[in-house]
Amino acid sequence: MEREIRQGTEVPGDELQVFLKALASGTRQRLLQHFSDGGELTVGEVAERSGLGPSTASEHLAVLRRGGLLRSSRDGKAVRYRTDTAGITELLSQLQAYLLQHPEGQRPQEQRPEGQGPRDRHPQAQRPQEQHPEGQEEPRDRPPER
């Protein structure tokens, strides 16, 4: 069943969409981890640490910079990247406001009623374990042995 878009709900702005696109890649998420200590890294250092080619690392870093997750500065010929904590904080605040907005005249729910979580709306998300003839559970991620 498709959900209807709530009346009075605005879609995220361009800045927030670019932020979400930057986070949508597992590779870019892993690259961000290299900046968790607050230090600065060049494209070459990121490429070496991540095992990516320099041009691939550079492309991903550019997406992260456009998305507001990294800042860059030029040091001679080298470009140094670092986490943009202020930008991330602002964009996360925008994302929270977008996700929690509600139509005019309606109050946000303080707590979800029992049986109203995402898994409750999608029964396939909570499939029961299949049973072996011996009564042992079969893992869901592989087909039953024959």
Side-chain angles (χ1 to χ4, degrees):
M1 175 183 0
E2 290 187 30
R3 276 190 338 173
E4 290 184 33
I5 297 177
R6 297 175 288 183
Q7 294 297 324
T9 305
E10 296 182 29
V11 296
D14 290 343
E15 186 177 58
L16 190 53
Q17 289 185 25
V18 174
F19 172 73
L20 292 171
K21 177 185 176 185
L23 286 173
S25 163
T27 299
R28 288 191 287 273
Q29 291 171 24
R30 286 187 293 280
L31 290 182
L32 276 176
Q33 292 175 342
H34 295 292
F35 296 93
S36 63
D37 65 356
E40 292 186 344
L41 297 170
T42 64
V43 172
E45 292 167 333
V46 171
E48 184 180 311
R49 292 179 184 194
S50 65
L52 296 173
S55 62
T56 302
S58 179
E59 289 175 30
H60 283 296
L61 291 170
V63 172
L64 290 167
R65 185 183 50 76
R66 283 191 302 272
L69 295 147
L70 295 178
R71 296 188 69 111
S72 64
S73 59
R74 187 163 292 281
D75 182 16
K77 289 187 177 184
V79 177
R80 298 192 151 294
Y81 290 88
R82 67 188 174 286
T83 305
D84 184 354
T85 53
I88 292 170
T89 301
E90 170 60 28
L91 288 161
L92 285 173
S93 178
Q94 288 179 31
L95 179 60
Q96 182 180 27
Y98 166 71
L99 292 174
L100 298 178
Q101 69 181 324
H102 54 280
E104 287 290 319
Q106 291 184 10
R107 296 188 51 142
Q109 292 178 325
E110 297 298 321
Q111 295 179 353
R112 283 194 180 146
E114 193 65 37
Q116 294 297 312
R119 289 186 173 259
D120 297 315
R121 289 191 300 269
H122 301 287
Q124 70 273 16
Q126 283 187 326
R127 293 188 320 214
Q129 296 283 332
E130 295 177 20
Q131 296 290 324
H132 269 296
E134 300 85 31
Q136 296 181 356
E137 292 183 351
E138 175 70 24
R140 285 186 250 166
D141 59 344
R142 61 183 169 136
E145 295 178 12
R146 299 196 189 257

